[in-house]
Amino acid sequence: MYNHRELEQKWRTKWKDGFVSYRPESTNSTTKYILVEFPFPSGAGLHVGHTKSYMALDIRARKYRMSGEDVLYPMGWDAFGLPTENYAITHGIHPRVATEDNIKTFKNQIDALGISFDWSKEINTTDPAYYKWTQWIFMQMFKHGLAYQDTTQVWWCEELKTVLANEEVIDGISERGGHPCERKSLRQWMLAITQYAERLHHDLDQVDYLDIIKRQQRNWIGLSTGARIRFALDETSSLEIYTTRPDTLYGVTFMVLAPEHPLVDVLTTDEYRESIQQYQEQVSQKTDLDRQQEKEKTGVFTGGYVKHPLTGKDIPVWIADYVLMGYGTGAIMAVPAHDERDKAFAERYGLDIQPVITEEGELINSGEFDGMQSEAAKQAIIQVISDKKLGQEEQQSKLRDWVFSRQRYWGEPFPIVWVSSEAYQQMQEQNSDRLAPFEVSRERDGLTEYAVTVAESELPIELPEVESYLPQGLGEGPLALATDWVNVWYHLNTGKTVAGNVECPGEGWVKALRETDTMPNWAGSSWYFLRYIDPTNTEAVASPEQIHKWLPVDIYNGGMEHTTLHLLYSRFWYKFLYDIGIVPTSEPYQKRISHGMILAEGGVKMSKSKGNTINPLEMCEAFGADALRCYIMFMGPYDEAIAWDTHGLVGCNRFLTKVYHWGETIIAQPEQSNIDTEALHRDTHGLIKKISEDIEAQKLNTCVSSFMEYINIWGGQLIGKSTFETFLTLLAPFAPHLTEELWERLGHATSIHTSSHWPEWDETALVSTEEDFQVHVNGKMRAMITLSVDTSEEAILAQALEAAEKYLEGNLLKKQKVIRQKGIVILVV
RNA sequence: GCUAGAGUGGCGGAAUUGGUAGACGCGCCGGACUUAAAAUCCGUUGGUAAUAAUAUACCGUGAGGGUUCAAGUCCCUCCUCUAGCACCA
């Protein structure tokens, strides 16, 4: 073993003292923006899973730098969020203090891995200088009508007097304290991501994401084309449904409404009123997730009927919780013959099942449409429906608007104040630019208040200090307790605020209340990659020149679990910023890749409770950061989940030890005694090609095995110094410390990592003067012959026949063929 | 249930996209060094049969069928596992 501890420590110190710089140089024209998802700095410290993606993208970043490109590879902290706040609640430590400690730990750990992050670009979402711009972007969305308020169901714990997140409630019991929880309606800020659904769907065509990621996003957005159809209730009113299968319209045997549907009351007859109310009550205590997970479909008849738009038949109306208010119109036409869920429901409650399409896709029992193919029938029925003004074609999305507020402390405050209706009216008359295009209002103490933004110059609205991170209010966050912060004087003309605990400052100032909700932790991460570009800018999100230089991100790595939330949210915010002219492209990330999990030994998930976690720092200490880097890359395909095996890490340490000793031997020998053969030349250029292409293709496991193969053949031999340097250069992104050491001892004064000398391969070097031919007889490889490249086909064939003579047994050849570029001779008898 | 992906030695995995299956690493076994152990180095290592022989033959990539001179790779049927979504009309 070589002394990795001393060697790596030496270079960590030298690098930190300025021997290398990972800051992009502004002179270069070709750029690469490489991005890994930034971590939430938890108290548990860096997880080995984090290191995989940092290392893999570090290899890319280093390779690009060595190829002379201008590389941006930054890191920061996604530090708002629930765990820190809960830690604050239980330990009484300010979240800011806990966050700072955790960041320090993370940073030390990352530095020990030899990752070439440009720390001059470091950002922290909880830094007011950062969240100033999170608030600024929200402010623009508010002004453009993308932010509004709506009522949603949340978990409420009476004992804790607080709103809880879904993940904090297990089987209706709070995770902290074990108290019972209930569902409760609450007004929340919402962001209208659904307005971008179509673009989020279609623009995936423009980008290079892993197929599985695109598919998953499309599935989540769930764009579908169908029809909105009205079923008459009486002469004046009707029930609207949305269906993707208008071709099955004649198969409708009942209707199902979501229990919360506004027409339920109207349709319910006295006879059924009690059971309907009972059912509604039951359902209101369930989350959407619960409702969707139930195996048994339940529902209740309302007693009411609607008229079929084409046949005029009376159709009974039911309510059931498998129909959700949030999708479509909150009501469906049930076609039990052709829909599994409707079928299960019909069978349970003994409802009619009427088939209208044959296995061949031909319509039956459908009046004038009988005999049509279902695709054609879809169009025909939509046509008839819209001619009769009973409905129209419509596109729908499964996507729901984004619930954007939290009744929590550790998040970004909103740049919003609530003013009286008189004040609001005045602002409207003045055409103030601090209003939303529509009214956003709330009732408070019998009065209506309106949401308006503060002036841009007021940003950031900083989090106030509070006594308790656990609120004692009724659905309000801990910020509501900071009454001096909440009560302000607001200037109608300028949007400025001053503390409210003084006398009225004068003309134009009105009393106002700050919004006390905070933003979810998805907010800060929805645009952070923009801030890395220009993290200290006080005038804008980032300077337009820098934005143009770096965006879009060339490659973005993150976990599969972020595909439907973070990745979609950030694309949405970016598209909005594109629409208001801040960014130059409509998509933020050119390429998206995903790393597979590192599982514990035995192939199960690592978890603290099971005690099977791997601490990356301990591994560095024992085997070296270089060995750890090589091993994690070597484990297997980048995007697959693979079990940890410390023995494998030992093997990589052995490999690097061989490299080290080989280097020492070469350094010690006079140059003239070194060998330089054609085979060495060919293998070296083969390696350059292999490593260059495999890094590009994210096949880092085979890179490492190629290095091992090369050293198995040439290791220990006195190869030419420049050839050895080529090998070191290729290995440098994988093992930055060891290669730097040998590079220095080979007589270089500058770092191996900042020199623009990534080697190029010579195709002609890869071609040999001799060629191998496999001789296949009846599809089986029977002999191998080596011939000079200028051998004619006839001669090859003759040689092959001779070599494989005993397998031919004198039989007549049915087929003979030479496939030159594959090096195969085919003989069939 | 839907969608996608994957099944290769004792283990992690490789295979230029139809052309020597098992690269590379781990582990195991044997050997060297050592008083001994660890570390290190060298060698063997899919299975069966056979041999003085690392001569040779056959079988082998979840199961079964098919296409082809030739299938881990392509097609059909089935099984198992993993991931994401989960009653989305």
Side-chain angles (χ1 to χ4, degrees):
Chain A
M1 268 172 89
Y2 67 107
N3 190 337
H4 62 261
R5 266 184 223 106
E6 204 174 281
L7 187 155
E8 290 181 359
Q9 186 54 53
K10 168 187 164 186
W11 285 106
R12 257 203 301 282
T13 310
K14 269 192 104 164
W15 290 335
K16 222 173 194 162
D17 292 346
F19 187 67
V20 293
S21 162
Y22 303 129
R23 295 184 72 148
E25 297 164 24
S26 51
T27 50
N28 219 312
S29 56
T30 61
T31 61
K32 280 275 179 351
Y33 186 173
I34 296 171
L35 185 66
V36 278
E37 281 176 356
F38 61 163
F40 171 75
S42 74
L46 197 70
H47 184 268
V48 71
H50 289 119
T51 70
K52 183 172 180 178
S53 55
Y54 303 167
M55 288 171 175
L57 282 268
D58 185 53
I59 287 167
R60 231 177 233 265
R62 288 179 183 276
K63 188 228 166 186
Y64 290 150
R65 268 190 221 109
M66 291 169 85
S67 307
E69 297 203 70
D70 214 3
V71 172
L72 178 59
Y73 187 41
M75 178 49 41
W77 316 104
D78 186 17
F80 275 129
L82 216 51
T84 311
E85 180 160 333
N86 284 340
Y87 185 81
I89 291 168
T90 42
H91 293 86
I93 293 170
H94 195 290
R96 182 172 297 112
V97 176
T99 299
E100 276 165 15
D101 288 350
N102 293 347
I103 287 177
K104 219 173 279 169
T105 310
F106 263 70
K107 215 169 160 177
N108 284 334
Q109 290 176 319
I110 289 176
D111 273 341
L113 303 171
I115 311 283
S116 64
F117 287 132
D118 173 6
W119 287 112
S120 74
K121 301 289 196 289
E122 180 179 358
I123 55 163
N124 175 347
T125 56
T126 65
D127 178 358
Y130 178 91
Y131 68 66
K132 169 183 177 175
W133 296 103
T134 311
Q135 292 170 336
W136 183 85
I137 295 169
F138 174 83
M139 188 185 271
Q140 309 313 312
M141 291 184 139
F142 177 80
K143 291 179 184 178
H144 283 82
L146 288 169
Y148 65 97
Q149 287 212 312
D150 198 5
T151 306
T152 64
Q153 296 274 311
V154 294
W155 280 112
W156 170 258
C157 179
E158 188 57 37
E159 202 73 27
L160 297 169
K161 293 264 188 277
T162 186
V163 172
L164 294 172
N166 285 334
E167 77 165 13
E168 295 179 289
V169 181
I170 298 154
D171 298 329
I173 304 289
S174 73
E175 199 181 21
R176 171 161 27 90
H179 307 296
C181 302
E182 56 183 329
R183 303 291 291 166
K184 184 179 151 161
S185 289
L186 208 64
R187 281 187 74 72
Q188 308 261 27
W189 285 98
M190 308 285 291
L191 289 185
I193 189 172
T194 49
Q195 289 187 22
Y196 282 73
E198 268 190 60
R199 286 166 65 190
L200 289 167
H201 182 278
H202 293 305
D203 290 355
L204 285 171
D205 292 339
Q206 301 170 16
V207 292
D208 173 23
Y209 291 4
L210 285 181
D211 249 18
I212 185 167
I213 296 176
K214 281 196 188 186
R215 258 195 299 271
Q216 211 169 302
Q217 280 215 350
R218 287 207 174 100
N219 202 36
W220 185 265
I221 297 167
L223 233 42
S224 65
T225 305
R228 183 180 280 256
I229 301 175
R230 281 182 287 278
F231 286 67
L233 230 104
D234 49 45
E235 268 83 69
T236 52
S237 57
S238 61
L239 170 66
E240 276 198 330
I241 60 96
Y242 173 76
T243 178
T244 54
R245 298 293 306 275
D247 50 320
T248 62
L249 189 53
Y250 281 82
V252 175
T253 54
F254 58 101
M255 310 295 284
V256 187
L257 306 192
E260 310 89 326
H261 198 284
L263 284 178
V264 174
D265 252 8
V266 182
L267 281 155
T268 304
T269 59
D270 289 343
E271 189 186 342
Y272 294 95
R273 198 161 296 277
E274 201 175 318
S275 60
I276 288 283
Q277 275 167 1
Q278 227 172 38
Y279 188 76
Q280 284 175 323
E281 202 127 309
Q282 253 177 48
V283 171
S284 75
Q285 289 306 312
K286 294 185 199 162
T287 64
D288 277 3
L289 201 72
D290 292 337
R291 283 169 63 167
Q292 291 162 11
Q293 272 171 348
E294 261 157 31
K295 288 268 171 289
E296 288 285 300
K297 288 178 179 39
T298 60
V300 193
F301 182 43
T302 61
Y305 292 84
V306 292
K307 283 227 173 336
H308 191 285
L310 298 184
T311 65
K313 275 190 199 147
D314 281 335
I315 313 277
V317 182
W318 288 62
I319 65 170
D321 64 2
Y322 78 90
V323 174
L324 303 177
M325 201 54 221
Y327 183 71
T329 62
I332 63 162
M333 60 178 217
V335 186
H338 305 288
D339 183 286
E340 286 302 316
R341 289 152 309 175
D342 297 347
K343 188 176 174 193
F345 193 81
E347 279 171 353
R348 181 173 171 136
Y349 293 104
L351 298 159
D352 289 346
I353 299 176
Q354 165 82 304
V356 285
I357 296 176
T358 65
E359 270 187 33
E360 295 75 39
E362 196 174 285
L363 266 69
I364 49 169
N365 304 325
S366 295
E368 55 180 301
F369 304 100
D370 279 357
M372 284 179 94
Q373 281 296 308
S374 92
E375 265 315 305
K378 226 178 233 182
Q379 292 312 312
I381 290 178
I382 289 175
Q383 191 60 52
V384 170
I385 290 288
S386 36
D387 286 350
K388 294 188 174 171
K389 306 246 180 296
L390 291 167
Q392 65 280 325
E393 186 171 68
E394 191 173 289
Q395 209 170 52
Q396 276 279 345
S397 164
K398 287 191 275 189
L399 197 62
R400 297 182 211 170
D401 277 343
W402 176 4
V403 181
F404 197 68
S405 41
R406 303 287 184 267
Q407 292 69 47
R408 291 283 177 171
Y409 177 74
W410 197 227
E412 300 89 344
F414 282 85
I416 294 287
V417 295
W418 295 89
V419 298
S420 69
S421 55
E422 296 80 40
Y424 187 71
Q425 232 167 34
Q426 270 191 47
M427 288 176 74
Q428 279 182 315
E429 281 160 18
Q430 291 168 5
N431 279 325
S432 171
D433 65 352
R434 276 169 277 121
L435 308 178
F438 43 78
E439 291 176 356
V440 179
S441 63
R442 70 178 184 193
E443 298 296 319
R444 198 182 176 87
D445 301 332
L447 295 170
T448 307
E449 296 175 337
Y450 294 83
V452 299
T453 77
V454 297
E456 285 189 16
S457 61
E458 291 283 293
L459 302 183
I461 308 297
E462 291 198 39
L463 269 172
E465 296 303 321
V466 291
E467 301 270 310
S468 164
Y469 307 110
L470 201 58
Q472 300 297 307
L474 200 72
E476 288 195 20
L479 295 191
L481 298 173
T483 46
D484 286 353
W485 179 84
V486 175
N487 289 284
V488 292
W489 292 106
Y490 177 70
H491 196 264
L492 292 179
N493 295 336
T494 64
K496 288 193 182 307
T497 60
V498 295
N501 56 1
V502 295
E503 275 190 33
C504 179
E507 184 76 16
W509 292 88
V510 297
K511 273 193 183 295
L513 296 171
R514 286 196 198 279
E515 170 60 58
T516 59
D517 280 359
T518 52
M519 302 185 197
N521 74 321
W522 304 108
S525 61
S526 288
W527 69 282
Y528 72 111
F529 54 96
L530 268 153
R531 192 61 180 172
Y532 279 140
I533 291 173
D534 193 8
T536 55
N537 197 316
T538 53
E539 302 304 312
V541 162
S543 87
E545 304 85 70
Q546 291 295 309
I547 285 177
H548 271 81
K549 176 173 177 181
W550 292 106
L551 290 175
V553 170
D554 289 278
I555 183 161
Y556 186 25
N557 181 92
M560 276 313 288
E561 70 275 18
H562 290 133
T563 301
T564 48
L565 298 176
H566 160 68
L567 193 63
L568 203 64
Y569 291 154
S570 63
R571 288 181 62 220
F572 161 49
W573 275 40
Y574 193 86
K575 282 184 181 304
F576 170 70
L577 292 173
Y578 172 68
D579 290 347
I580 62 169
I582 307 284
V583 296
T585 54
S586 65
E587 281 291 332
Y589 319 115
Q590 185 46 45
K591 188 179 171 84
R592 166 85 177 186
I593 58 172
S594 226
H595 55 270
M597 253 192 299
I598 296 181
L599 304 171
E601 296 196 52
V604 294
K605 274 191 187 170
M606 282 190 195
S607 75
K608 257 192 295 180
S609 57
K610 282 191 199 135
N612 58 6
T613 56
I614 296 292
N615 180 335
L617 270 204
E618 280 171 22
M619 293 298 150
C620 278
E621 184 60 26
F623 304 100
D626 286 345
L628 183 64
R629 293 167 63 105
C630 287
Y631 171 59
I632 289 179
M633 296 308 114
F634 183 57
M635 286 173 87
Y638 182 65
D639 53 2
E640 276 174 31
I642 301 163
W644 178 268
D645 178 13
T646 304
H647 290 299
L649 178 52
V650 173
C652 286
N653 178 281
R654 272 182 209 145
F655 157 68
L656 293 176
T657 303
K658 280 186 210 166
V659 174
Y660 182 78
H661 291 313
W662 187 23
E664 283 188 315
T665 318
I666 287 170
I667 288 160
Q669 291 298 315
E671 176 75 23
Q672 57 270 32
S673 65
N674 293 352
I675 58 164
D676 192 8
T677 63
E678 196 197 316
L680 173 62
H681 193 61
R682 185 169 57 241
D683 283 357
T684 307
H685 280 264
L687 187 68
I688 300 171
K689 181 180 160 98
K690 175 81 176 156
I691 301 301
S692 304
E693 291 179 346
D694 278 6
I695 289 178
E696 217 41 56
Q698 201 67 16
K699 288 165 70 177
L700 304 172
N701 53 334
T702 50
C703 284
V704 177
S705 53
S706 302
F707 286 129
M708 287 170 170
E709 280 179 76
Y710 187 84
I711 205 169
N712 283 348
I713 297 169
W714 299 103
Q717 298 195 43
L718 293 173
I719 67 171
K721 271 188 185 159
S722 70
T723 307
F724 184 69
E725 285 181 358
T726 301
F727 173 77
L728 276 189
T729 309
L730 295 171
L731 184 60
F734 294 82
H737 308 83
L738 174 65
T739 51
E740 184 80 308
E741 172 72 16
L742 293 173
W743 186 252
E744 182 191 56
R745 286 165 65 178
L746 280 157
H748 296 276
T750 57
S751 170
I752 192 170
H753 301 296
T754 48
S755 338
S756 302
H757 56 208
W758 188 263
E760 290 189 9
W761 70 90
D762 177 2
E763 280 290 343
T764 61
L766 304 178
V767 188
S768 165
T769 54
E770 292 194 321
E771 246 177 314
D772 288 337
F773 282 91
Q774 301 166 21
V775 183
H776 290 231
V777 180
N778 289 344
K780 284 192 175 149
M781 215 281 285
R782 291 302 192 182
M784 185 81 105
I785 51 178
T786 304
L787 301 166
S788 108
V789 284
D790 47 25
T791 312
S792 71
E793 275 201 21
E794 292 79 44
I796 295 168
L797 207 55
Q799 292 273 338
L801 285 170
E802 195 182 315
E805 198 181 2
K806 67 172 176 172
Y807 299 98
L808 303 172
E809 292 166 343
N811 288 322
L812 217 59
L813 281 177
K814 284 188 196 143
K815 190 170 175 179
Q816 49 188 24
K817 196 168 159 191
V818 177
I819 308 173
R820 195 145 204 160
Q821 84 262 40
K822 287 190 179 174
I824 294 172
V825 181
I826 289 162
L827 304 172
V828 182
V829 292

